[in-house]
Amino acid sequence: MAGSKFAYVRNFELPDPLLPGTFMVLRLDGHSFHRFSDVHGFAKPNDVRALKLLDHAATDLMDQYPDIVLGFGESDEFSFLLKKSASLYNRRHAKILSTLTSHFTASVTFRWSTYFPDTPLQYPPTFDGRIVLYPGIKEVRDYFSWRQADTHINNLHNTAFWALVQQGGESTSQAHSTLKGTQSKDKHELLFTRFGVNYNAVDERFRKGSVLVRQQEQQGSHPDSPSPEAKAKANASKPAVVILHCDIIKDEFWDSRPEILSG
Ligand SMILES: Nc1nc2c(ncn2[C@@H]2O[C@H](COP(=O)(O)OP(=O)(O)OP(=O)(O)O)[C@@H](O)[C@H]2O)c(=O)[nH]1
Ligand SMILES: [Mg+2]
């Protein structure tokens, strides 16, 4: 049956395909998390509960969308790489962006009480999202290097800043001026000499961010177990998403996981 006389309005909905054969990177960023972190009493400079909450929401998203081959999170943001051949939602831009952003955001709210059992949500957290297409492996690797270098720069600055305030007794404006014009090595030196902090020993989660990859479960080497049937089943099961806090700038990470960039 022909549509109603109103159905022509559908023609105003234009196709919005993402170029085929390109890598999609989706980046989500907490909206006004400066305020959100204050209102919910996040620890400074890093709140482990908040970081683990975002890691969990990212794992939920990767469990739901097998086309995502890599996730990287820091602060209030997460980036996801979709394999080049992804045909998710026929590569419709708005459909992918809105559905994945919404899924991640809903997961953050859904999981909130697991990580903040004593802190009721004061208002719904929201995230902005964007998709950027990259033509080749070089740009994808440089994108993730950019985000991890940013993690390092921000965390070194924030660690020094909050040490000056929390342990050094400086006001926030004093701490700003103490750090003004300092280089990375000056901040390392300041942390070590004034506060006894060896920055290289700071939790890798804070220095390197969270790296989410798919990893096939290791088979037990015990001769009695598992049975051949159990082994076959485990081999057939999809790889689990694991959370690492490792370097993704150097070659080693990518060389040992060729599947991330090959699909
Ligand atoms: N205390 C604390 N704050 C955090 C933590 N993670 C993120 N934040 C806050 O979140 C902000 C994230 O930076 P931005 O994304 O640039 O700032 P924003 O306020 O979210 O602003 P828009 O993203 O532009 O909406 C940081 O500046 C912090 O204020 C954390 O672990 N602890
Ligand atoms: Mg933000």
Side-chain angles (χ1 to χ4, degrees), residues 29-34 76-77 128:
D29 185 289
H31 174 65
S32 271
F33 259 48
H34 188 73
D76 69 338
E77 69 168 63
D128 71 45

Side-chain angles (χ1 to χ4, degrees), residues 29-38 41-51 54 74-77 126 128 154 158 162 206:
D29 185 289
H31 174 65
S32 271
F33 259 48
H34 188 73
R35 171 166 177 253
F36 186 80
S37 59
D38 270 353
F42 283 15
K44 294 172 194 296
N46 292 297
D47 193 308
V48 178
R49 301 166 300 175
L51 295 171
L54 263 56
E74 57 145 334
S75 182
D76 69 338
E77 69 168 63
T126 54
D128 71 45
N154 289 338
N158 293 340
W162 288 107
F206 305 149

Side-chain angles (χ1 to χ4, degrees), residues 100-117:
L100 273 59
T101 306
S102 166
H103 193 292
F104 182 87
T105 306
S107 258
V108 169
T109 302
F110 185 62
R111 308 269 181 208
W112 174 264
S113 62
T114 305
Y115 295 90
F116 289 88

